[in-house]
Amino acid sequence: MDVVTQMQRQLIQYTSSLFQEFNQLQQLQDESNPEFVVEVVTLFFEDAERLLNELSKSLQVEQESIDFRKVDAQVHQLKGSSSSIGAQRVQRVCIAFRNFCEQQNVEGCLKSLQEIKQEYSLVKTKLETLFKMEKQLFAARGSISR
Amino acid sequence: MGLAAESQFHVLAVDDSLIDRMLIERLLKTSSFHVTAVDSGSKALKFLGLVEEEQRNEEPSFVAQKTHNQDVDVNLIITDYCMPEMTGYDLLRKIKESKSLKDIPVVIMSSENVPSRINRCLEEGAEEFFLKPVQQSDVNKLRPHLLKSKVKEVGEEDQLINLNRKDINEILA
């Protein structure tokens, strides 16, 4: 089996397992617009990182002055966008996080924030791996057709 | 003349989240709809030709600009529920209160499954309520609503074509 075919096979396998986890992305995959998934996911990364920074700041203040309404609104946004791309684990932690906000439970909030950061980091690694594999495949195809 | 041109249906999508706007636009375009996406209810109303009219002691209300309406042909509005300043429900109400816009079908989307919210929207005249994340299969459900409103636009001399079976049976009886 030549290198390109092998890479293609690996990419297909990786993509399909990833799409089982990120179950929203599959329906966006479109031959006529292959960049679309990359665009959306990149946007999600930017959005999530911004929100995680803001959440860290919101929770770093004196416990008595934490604005739980603001924290909740930020988590709501993150929950929404992670749900939209199918990052289910991040979404689940967001739900727990919102419950802690409602209870004004600072410890719970801080714990949730840690968990989200970990889950998000996993998501990012997996999706970046996908994009890297795609790039390598296209490069390999390109060098053969030359 | 009134004959509907062979053009695509035009959907106005409203959502404050950029990611969700991209996604809904993609799903709609896959279904061959022409899409305009805006990030707020007030921008949506502006696009539809309703402008804010300041009234002295009351809440600002929206009135139709006289000449603008005919330029913008929107066949369906799909809007997020949770938006700052103007929720999807507020937007729905304003559309249904407007003489020029009330016949445009409106669909609401929300990430939260709150039965009372859903009922309120449907009672106010929303055609459908989609739970996010919206799927292609949800978007495929939109076509009948669009065809229904297109039929209303067609001029008098074309009404014969649009008689439903019941009317035809009555005529033939």
Side-chain angles (χ1 to χ4, degrees), chain B:
Chain B
M1 231 236 275
L3 263 178
E6 227 36 70
S7 52
Q8 290 173 300
F9 289 123
H10 184 189
V11 178
L12 176 63
V14 191
D15 200 318
D16 61 315
S17 156
L18 176 53
I19 290 174
D20 287 349
R21 269 202 310 284
M22 280 180 77
L23 293 176
I24 194 71
E25 197 171 334
R26 170 104 235 120
L27 294 178
L28 289 166
K29 284 187 173 160
T30 301
S31 274
S32 304
F33 297 129
H34 172 54
V35 186
T36 299
V38 296
D39 65 7
S40 72
S42 45
K43 288 207 184 127
L45 290 172
K46 208 161 155 194
F47 183 79
L48 293 163
L50 287 193
V51 288
E52 198 165 320
E53 183 189 71
E54 296 287 338
Q55 288 179 343
R56 246 173 308 141
N57 300 315
E58 298 165 31
E59 301 252 320
S61 68
F62 288 81
V63 293
Q65 270 180 314
K66 288 202 181 117
T67 52
H68 191 79
N69 289 327
Q70 298 318 307
D71 296 328
V72 174
D73 194 13
V74 169
N75 305 115
L76 184 134
I77 297 161
I78 181 164
T79 176
D80 186 27
Y81 183 93
C82 280
M83 297 188 290
E85 286 170 24
M86 192 189 297
T87 67
Y89 177 77
D90 298 329
L91 177 60
L92 167 67
R93 283 192 65 193
K94 292 197 154 62
I95 289 167
K96 292 303 171 189
E97 280 165 10
S98 153
K99 236 182 290 195
S100 52
L101 302 177
K102 65 178 170 60
D103 290 330
I104 303 180
V106 180
V107 171
I108 312 268
M109 312 178 272
S110 176
S111 56
E112 309 195 300
N113 190 349
V114 182
S116 56
R117 178 186 291 184
I118 298 175
N119 285 331
R120 210 159 51 114
C121 289
L122 294 175
E123 276 166 22
E124 195 61 38
E127 305 286 332
E128 298 256 9
F129 192 102
F130 292 158
L131 282 175
K132 282 180 168 180
V134 178
Q135 308 295 316
Q136 192 66 60
S137 53
D138 295 318
V139 172
N140 295 342
K141 282 193 217 159
L142 296 176
R143 212 155 265 278
H145 295 296
L146 286 155
L147 289 168
K148 211 167 47 163
S149 70
K150 251 302 194 241
V151 163
K152 281 186 186 161
E153 281 173 32
V154 174
E156 247 181 326
E157 60 267 38
D158 295 315
Q159 272 175 5
L160 218 65
I161 305 168
N162 294 306
L163 289 175
N164 59 30
R165 188 176 294 167
K166 180 167 160 290
D167 295 341
I168 293 174
N169 285 338
E170 281 176 10
I171 292 172
L172 296 175

Side-chain angles (χ1 to χ4, degrees), chain A residues 8-25:
Chain A
Q8 226 161 284
R9 193 168 287 200
Q10 283 173 343
L11 179 60
I12 289 172
Q13 280 174 350
Y14 190 72
T15 304
S16 104
S17 75
L18 213 58
F19 283 174
Q20 276 187 37
E21 186 182 341
F22 300 103
N23 57 4
Q24 292 307 308
L25 292 180

